[in-house]
Amino acid sequence: FLNRTLQGPERRYGLEEAKTPFSQSSDRDLSQLQPMVSTTDFQRGVVERRRTYDNRVLVQPNVTAAFDQQIISACWEKYTPSNNSVQRGTPCVWLQHAINLPTRGRPLHLSLKAFAMTRIGWINKDESLVLQGNLCYGLALNAVQKCLSLEASLWQDDLFAAGYVLSVYELFESTTPSIAGWNNHISGLKHLVLGRGLQRHMKPFARAVLEEFRTSSMIQCIRYRKSTFLGNPEWLTLPWSETGKDVYQQLYDKGFALAALLEGIDNARLANESIKISVLSEYLGRLSGLDEEMNLWYLKILEESLSPLYWHTESIPGWHSKEVVESCMPPPLTFHTLRLANITVTYWGLRLILSNTIALACQNVLSINMQVPAQSSSSTPPQASQDLVNMSLYLLETHTSAHRLELATNIIRSMPYCLNDNMGLMGAQKSLFALRTALFALTRYPGEEPKLKWCQAMYQDLDNKKGLRYAREIATLDGTFSAAGRDNLPLGTSYDRRA
């Protein structure tokens, strides 16, 4: 090939037109040229590029991990209130801690997954997902039991949290036809908490789980009229020595004190009337003191909360049975937040039990002085002191039947707010204690059948519409043996502990 130039034909070299302008310039600085890549380096680069490409193809996303996280997140959305205005901060601190741990132990992960799968499956009527959740629950139990047998994992915070998640699972799913499963979990957790000791509950995560566990433990203690180590002075103070205890947790302290009083009354052995008067005087004084403490607590929460604490409303958004309420009830009550509603109805439930116990104790005192001595007896039966009689009469002026009916009515008027669909599953769970107390109290009021039937219907809804199987047994219990529905104090007699 030839190129025609002014100097005449010149030989042409291959692919000359593909050269850059610099390649044709004699003035180019050759020092700027990049060194040529050797064949060895080129081959090495090709291999490295292939490795990079192959890695991108072979590393697949972890489908199981993504599914687990997605369903746990979906459960969080269904469990907590959907309306931000009723949350005021984190609505469920302990659960948020558990979900957001950088690394979750196998027991906690399986527990969360089991709870999430059964709840999401139940909500969406997906029996296959519920079944998978039930199987996962079995795996979680095995994982918890394995960790409990190992010293290295026995005291880990996420194991404590895993145990509590399983107790919540039992509230909703209830693997037995009764509440025995829930009771077993709470009783087992008490042993774990006691074994862990006070110092292990001072960090934020462990303390958050402890605070949530105290709620369930208090309910169990009052139900069975039993005291607990959680009511001991050191357990009431040390976990909060660095942060202070909020007003909500302070109410649970009163609940533990009430459970201890109920146990003391039940265990009193009255050999004669003199001992009976002494015991009644002691316990009536302690009951009256607790009543005053609860009054002060209520004043404190009024000071710390927005005013008013609650108010009447004509309807509740998301409430599916408001027509039932309007037909037989005063207008429902609304609160600023779900947490404030939960603690208020719990307070009313505790006050209802305490008021009924005080009234029965006062009636026992007054009945002693009305006894007529037997004709064959020459001695006068012991009499209660005038101070004790005056104290009983004074307390009876406050703790009337009408007062307890008002407390029970306030509880059921709060249920449209607590149980409406916007409050999530947590709203229903936190309402169990107060609604049960109101249900048993109303059994003593023959003229309040509409309210009693409404309470019973709400318990059925807790099972049918919220999936709380725990409510099944409660709705069928005889309320006359409960702390809120008793007609007498079981002093020195056999009694039923179905509080």
Side-chain angles (χ1 to χ4, degrees):
F1 296 94
L2 296 176
N3 288 332
R4 297 182 182 276
T5 67
L6 295 175
Q7 289 78 20
E10 290 185 0
R11 185 179 178 183
R12 180 183 178 190
Y13 295 92
L15 300 179
E16 193 171 40
E17 58 267 60
K19 294 181 181 180
T20 64
F22 289 108
S23 63
Q24 300 175 3
S25 174
S26 60
D27 298 330
R28 182 182 177 195
D29 184 0
L30 298 178
S31 65
Q32 295 179 1
L33 292 176
Q34 297 297 321
M36 295 292 291
V37 178
S38 67
T39 304
T40 303
D41 291 339
F42 175 79
Q43 292 175 343
R44 185 183 295 116
V46 170
V47 171
E48 290 299 323
R49 284 194 295 273
R50 284 178 177 173
R51 285 178 179 171
T52 303
Y53 176 78
D54 288 344
N55 280 342
R56 288 198 301 269
V57 172
L58 295 177
V59 176
Q60 299 292 334
N62 190 331
V63 178
T64 300
F67 170 80
D68 292 355
Q69 191 59 39
Q70 184 179 23
I71 199 164
I72 290 173
S73 298
C75 183
W76 165 266
E77 293 178 359
K78 295 297 183 181
Y79 184 75
T80 56
S82 59
N83 189 346
N84 292 332
S85 65
V86 302
Q87 294 184 15
R88 292 286 171 84
T90 303
C92 192
V93 177
W94 75 273
L95 185 57
Q96 186 179 49
H97 270 293
I99 292 176
N100 291 336
L101 285 177
T103 56
R104 290 195 293 263
R106 177 174 170 80
L108 178 57
H109 180 75
L110 289 174
S111 300
L112 288 171
K113 183 178 177 180
F115 178 62
M117 293 176 77
T118 53
R119 289 304 88 214
I120 297 301
W122 186 88
I123 290 171
N124 293 290
K125 296 180 172 55
D126 187 339
E127 295 183 2
S128 175
L129 190 58
V130 172
L131 179 59
Q132 292 180 56
N134 293 337
L135 295 175
C136 192
Y137 173 79
L139 296 175
L141 276 179
N142 290 335
V144 167
Q145 291 169 355
K146 182 178 180 180
C147 287
L148 288 174
S149 64
L150 301 174
E151 183 70 24
S153 58
L154 179 58
W155 310 125
Q156 291 179 356
D157 292 343
D158 63 351
L159 181 63
F160 176 30
Y164 189 74
V165 173
L166 293 180
S167 75
V168 178
Y169 175 99
E170 281 288 348
L171 272 180
F172 285 88
E173 195 60 22
S174 188
T175 55
T176 65
S178 69
I179 60 173
W182 179 81
N183 279 327
N184 290 338
H185 278 297
I186 297 301
S187 298
L189 283 169
K190 284 183 180 179
H191 292 291
L192 179 61
V193 170
L194 184 60
R196 284 166 54 88
L198 288 160
Q199 296 294 337
R200 288 191 173 93
H201 298 96
M202 298 181 68
K203 294 181 180 179
F205 178 36
R207 186 171 56 247
V209 180
L210 176 66
E211 290 180 348
E212 187 69 17
F213 170 68
R214 275 165 48 91
T215 309
S216 298
S217 180
M218 182 203 74
I219 293 172
Q220 186 190 54
C221 288
I222 291 178
R223 173 180 167 80
Y224 293 101
R225 305 168 73 89
K226 285 287 190 180
S227 60
T228 175
F229 68 90
L230 292 172
N232 296 342
E234 63 273 17
W235 280 94
L236 296 176
T237 55
L238 190 57
W240 299 270
S241 58
E242 298 178 356
T243 61
K245 183 184 290 185
D246 63 31
V247 67
Y248 298 88
Q249 288 296 317
Q250 291 172 22
L251 180 64
Y252 302 138
D253 296 349
K254 315 303 180 191
F256 288 128
L258 176 57
L261 282 173
L262 294 175
E263 181 184 42
I265 292 172
D266 291 349
N267 292 338
R269 293 294 177 261
L270 309 179
N272 54 56
E273 291 298 323
S274 296
I275 296 178
K276 184 176 182 179
I277 293 173
S278 175
V279 169
L280 284 172
S281 178
E282 174 192 351
Y283 280 101
L284 190 56
R286 292 171 64 183
L287 289 167
S288 176
L290 182 58
D291 183 52
E292 183 60 28
E293 289 181 17
M294 294 191 71
N295 286 334
L296 293 175
W297 178 90
Y298 189 66
L299 292 176
K300 186 174 182 179
I301 199 169
L302 287 176
E303 293 175 356
E304 294 187 6
S305 305
L306 295 174
S307 183
L309 190 63
Y310 55 89
W311 60 95
H312 304 165
T313 187
E314 293 303 320
S315 62
I316 301 289
W319 173 240
H320 56 270
S321 299
K322 60 179 181 295
E323 66 279 356
V324 178
V325 180
E326 293 171 354
S327 64
C328 65
M329 292 283 296
L333 302 178
T334 299
F335 299 80
H336 292 285
T337 66
L338 177 61
R339 191 183 185 201
L340 189 58
N342 292 150
I343 203 68
T344 303
V345 297
T346 300
Y347 165 77
W348 285 333
L350 292 173
R351 284 303 303 265
L352 209 165
I353 294 172
L354 179 60
S355 178
N356 190 56
T357 306
I358 288 175
L360 295 177
C362 292
Q363 292 166 8
N364 270 266
V365 169
L366 298 178
S367 66
I368 291 175
N369 285 12
M370 297 176 62
Q371 292 180 0
V372 178
Q375 294 181 355
S376 60
S377 175
S378 58
S379 61
T380 303
Q383 299 285 296
S385 68
Q386 191 59 46
D387 288 344
L388 184 57
V389 170
N390 290 340
M391 180 182 182
S392 299
L393 292 172
Y394 171 76
L395 290 172
L396 282 175
E397 290 180 359
T398 302
H399 296 280
T400 62
S401 178
H403 171 63
R404 291 187 291 280
L405 178 59
E406 180 183 5
L407 291 171
T409 303
N410 283 344
I411 290 172
I412 58 179
R413 290 177 65 191
S414 305
M415 290 303 105
Y417 178 86
C418 296
L419 302 183
N420 85 74
D421 295 336
N422 295 327
M423 297 304 168
L425 299 175
M426 188 172 69
Q429 177 191 338
K430 297 289 187 179
S431 303
L432 276 170
F433 168 73
L435 186 57
R436 174 179 59 84
T437 305
L439 174 68
F440 288 165
L442 288 172
T443 60
R444 302 189 63 193
Y445 296 89
E448 300 295 336
E449 286 87 354
K451 293 179 183 178
L452 178 60
K453 289 181 179 179
W454 187 85
C455 258
Q456 293 170 337
M458 286 303 94
Y459 257 100
Q460 294 300 324
D461 277 0
L462 287 177
D463 179 20
N464 299 333
K465 298 182 179 179
K466 299 295 182 180
L468 263 168
R469 294 188 181 181
Y470 176 96
R472 291 180 182 178
E473 183 181 359
I474 298 295
T476 61
L477 288 180
D478 186 352
T480 58
F481 292 104
S482 74
R486 286 184 183 271
D487 292 316
N488 55 71
L489 291 181
L491 293 168
T493 61
S494 61
Y495 57 93
D496 191 321
R497 288 188 182 274
R498 293 179 296 176

